[in-house]
Amino acid sequence: MAADMRAIQPESLYKLHLECEERPDGRKLDAARTTVVTRGGITTADGSAFCRSGHTSVLCGIKAEVCTPATDAPPDRGWVVPNLELPALCHHRFRPGPPSEAAQTASAQLLQLLDASGALDRTQLCIEAGQAVWVLYCDLICLSHDGNVLDVALLALSAALTDLRLPSAEWDATEERLRVKPAQRTPLKLGPLPLAATLAVFDKETLVLDPAGDEEMLCEASVTVAWAGDSMVLLDKTGGCELSLEAMDRCIALSKKRSLELKKLLDCCTQSGEVEKGE
Amino acid sequence: MCAYMWAPPFSAVSTMELLSDQGLRVDGRRAHELRNVECRLGVFGRADGSAYLEQGNTRVLATVYGPHEARAAQRRHDVASINCQYRQAVFSGWERGRRAGGGGDRRAQELGALLQNTLESVVLVELYPRSQIDVYVQVLQADGGTYATCVNAATLALIDAGVALRDYVCACSASVLRDQPLVDLNSLETSGAPELTAALLPRSGRLPLLEMSQRFHVDKLGELLDVAETACRDVHTILNRAVRRHVSARSSEK
């Protein structure tokens, strides 16, 4: 019965769920899905992390490369290049082909979030000013898509950055060449990492944390709030309906709570290096 | 953009070092030994079928969607069309690969087409007329024998999706080094020796795929095929065991 109704009238069914304050997957409205972080699974990458939240999984691998800074760029700063892929593998709706608009937007948003948070001082990536700097290619692959990819991708990116170990490199001024020792590796010094929480809006004021794929399709609007420590780095509301200031305040409070949970999760995994679970 | 590269940890290994006098390979295996295989079926709940396969340090994920209604361009009135995509993550190798998409990666396209041919020989396509089966494989980490691992993972994902198959397709790579046939090469051995990838249908003993890189003497071919066949049968045993374990775990859940 429920399956029929889900196919024919998904919206009415979901409204019924909201009236009972329980979502189709059994969660409360302000509960996130079980989130798992695993670091360092990919040994060919300089840093890697795998994050799963419900049925959404993102794998992030970071490769560090050396390059000469462009003449119009600051000579003593490296770059970070995040790139999120949404391959056909992750959802039946996606088709093989060039990167979709959604993937490109998310990649740009990840870079913006990382810059805004100030988590990574890019002067750390400088080997010799004007001669050689590190470029961190952060490639994120969405392996399974069930809503809220940006939050999971950002968590994966943050976790991979904590896992990153850069090879020690020195600039030999006399020979004008670079000496890299891949065996000696050091972690980066990182500030508070950006962590995001997304809420879906139904009926202009009902807020649902960590929307799954179906909820993302049905919702009227979605609000993403990202935090780095105590400061807000992104507030993004997309979608049609207007939102009262009171609802916005609740969004901010809920996202803050969620980002603290995620931070705890990230800290656990930073210490033990292995899998940790959290709500 | 990239002005300096440092060599991967193994840049120059001579063929002498790939096989010790005691007959041991660089990773301590004997010539006929496979690497450790770990596999899991049904890793993603949202796909119709999925499998994760780890063969040594080569890690591959395969996902199957379908059979579903085919798009007009791919629809065939009497059989199902199989649509394959092979993707290799940019961080999967020692050197960062080219970005996927935009038609940039010809080798990936070739391997996708090759996988499609291999799978067409084994899926009972006539059971699903006017429909389409999508098989997507994603290489997460590549350490030799990537294509063979992809074929094995795709088989497991098809089984997980419940698509009717004639048989398993089991693939393995093989090579010959100083007159000694080797199976299941890692990336170090691939760089120093010719590589032959064979896929086998274990019940009929037919080979739906045979691909080789670099030249070697034709006299060696017979021996090499025998070795590859045995290795494919070993792979079959492992895959079969994994499928049975998965099915019994599923049935005990219910």
Side-chain angles (χ1 to χ4, degrees), chain A residues 207-223:
Chain A
L207 299 176
V208 166
L209 184 69
D210 190 18
D214 300 346
E215 296 169 331
E216 214 168 49
M217 300 284 277
L218 291 172
C219 72
E220 289 163 7
S222 74
V223 181

Side-chain angles (χ1 to χ4, degrees), chain A residues 179-231:
Chain A
R179 294 182 192 281
V180 181
K181 293 174 193 146
Q184 291 175 14
R185 286 173 180 265
T186 44
L188 291 173
K189 290 185 189 72
L190 295 168
L193 288 159
L195 294 164
T198 298
L199 294 113
V201 184
F202 291 88
D203 290 338
K204 294 188 182 174
E205 54 185 298
T206 313
L207 299 176
V208 166
L209 184 69
D210 190 18
D214 300 346
E215 296 169 331
E216 214 168 49
M217 300 284 277
L218 291 172
C219 72
E220 289 163 7
S222 74
V223 181
T224 304
V225 190
W227 296 83
D230 288 329
S231 50

Side-chain angles (χ1 to χ4, degrees), chain A residues 38-44 47-50 59 163, chain B residues 52 54 59 141:
Chain A
T38 313
R39 298 190 317 147
I42 305 292
T43 45
T44 43
S48 64
F50 172 75
L59 177 72
D163 183 55
Chain B
Y52 170 78
E54 204 177 290
R59 292 169 176 154
Q141 193 172 335

Side-chain angles (χ1 to χ4, degrees), chain B residues 55-113:
Chain B
Q55 197 158 342
N57 279 328
T58 301
R59 292 169 176 154
V60 172
L61 196 66
T63 309
V64 171
Y65 292 102
H68 57 85
E69 191 183 351
R71 270 170 291 150
Q74 296 198 316
R75 196 175 302 151
R76 290 160 74 183
H77 73 92
D78 51 345
V79 291
S81 61
I82 297 179
N83 174 32
C84 289
Q85 198 198 14
Y86 171 96
R87 287 168 58 93
Q88 195 158 351
V90 280
F91 49 77
S92 63
W94 288 107
E95 278 176 33
R96 202 175 67 92
R98 217 185 311 174
R99 280 180 198 281
D105 203 343
R106 294 282 163 84
R107 178 70 182 150
Q109 282 182 6
E110 187 197 337
L111 289 175

